[in-house]
Amino acid sequence: AEYTHVEAECPFIDFDELLNRLEELVCGVVDRVMQSPHFDLIKELNPDFKAPKRPFKRMNYADGIKFLREHDIKKDDGTYYEFGEDIPEAPERKMTDMINEPILFCRFPAEIKSFYMPRCEEDQRLTESVDLLMPGVGEIIGGSMRIWDEAELLAGYEREGIDPTPYY
């Protein structure tokens, strides 16, 4: 698949503001495309296209694991997904398609995310991270807050065995 990658930095915001900005970004782009003279091409390729409804559903990773279990969505070996395991694309898309609305899927366990993602204040096992999941498509955005504290960041480098010299 071909896609465009955008790396954005938003200083002085918190995690909830990040989620709001991601929703605004996607809806703003869709609104502008729908108002453009090229929208006919989108309708030709996807006659059933509808703009995503706001507000987007916010679902924590732990609730996603619970959803998969409650809806009998299992791993290839027939077992259920457990907290701390990465959820592959197929079950994630199945969940998204069943819910049938955009999902800001949040707060993944630190063990399955990058070292530079800060931990959630309310649960240090989790990171301030998010994937935006769209029905019929899957993940369209992955993002997180970034550790800003130098000592915490250097501890992450050490944990991961990364030499900080080129960066500091």
Side-chain angles (χ1 to χ4, degrees):
E2 190 172 324
Y3 70 97
T4 299
H5 179 95
V6 175
E7 192 76 30
E9 298 290 335
C10 301
F12 312 113
I13 64 170
D14 65 20
F15 188 59
D16 284 327
E17 288 172 301
L18 172 65
L19 300 180
N20 291 338
R21 286 188 185 208
L22 294 175
E23 183 174 324
E24 290 168 9
L25 172 70
V26 169
C27 291
V29 168
V30 169
D31 290 346
R32 285 189 298 281
V33 169
M34 290 179 76
Q35 294 169 9
S36 82
H38 305 291
F39 185 61
D40 291 342
L41 178 61
I42 302 290
K43 288 301 268 185
E44 184 178 321
L45 296 171
N46 185 354
D48 298 325
F49 178 83
K50 291 179 182 64
K53 293 182 309 183
R54 291 181 183 191
F56 291 178
K57 180 177 186 64
R58 294 181 183 199
M59 175 185 268
N60 288 332
Y61 164 90
D63 295 324
I65 292 291
K66 184 178 176 183
F67 182 96
L68 295 176
R69 184 174 294 271
E70 289 173 351
H71 291 85
D72 205 35
I73 301 171
K74 298 178 181 176
K75 296 186 279 189
D76 290 339
D77 67 4
T79 61
Y80 288 105
Y81 290 92
E82 299 291 337
F83 184 90
E85 295 180 322
D86 191 27
I87 303 171
E89 179 185 7
E92 194 174 71
R93 285 186 70 169
K94 187 170 187 177
M95 175 183 74
T96 305
D97 290 346
M98 289 173 76
I99 293 170
N100 197 31
E101 62 181 297
I103 303 168
L104 288 162
F105 199 41
C106 306
R107 297 176 181 85
F108 294 89
E111 294 75 31
I112 61 172
K113 291 310 224 178
S114 296
F115 75 93
Y116 52 75
M117 296 182 183
R119 307 287 175 109
C120 296
E121 286 183 26
E122 65 276 7
D123 186 341
Q124 290 289 300
R125 300 174 305 155
L126 307 177
T127 57
E128 292 184 328
S129 54
V130 59
D131 291 341
L132 176 53
L133 311 176
M134 297 297 270
V137 179
E139 181 181 335
I140 64 166
I141 294 176
S144 74
M145 299 298 285
R146 297 292 192 262
I147 292 173
W148 56 267
D149 180 78
E150 183 180 16
E152 189 178 350
L153 189 58
L154 288 172
Y157 277 76
E158 187 175 328
R159 255 191 333 276
E160 298 296 319
I162 299 171
D163 177 10
T165 305
Y167 306 99
Y168 286 96

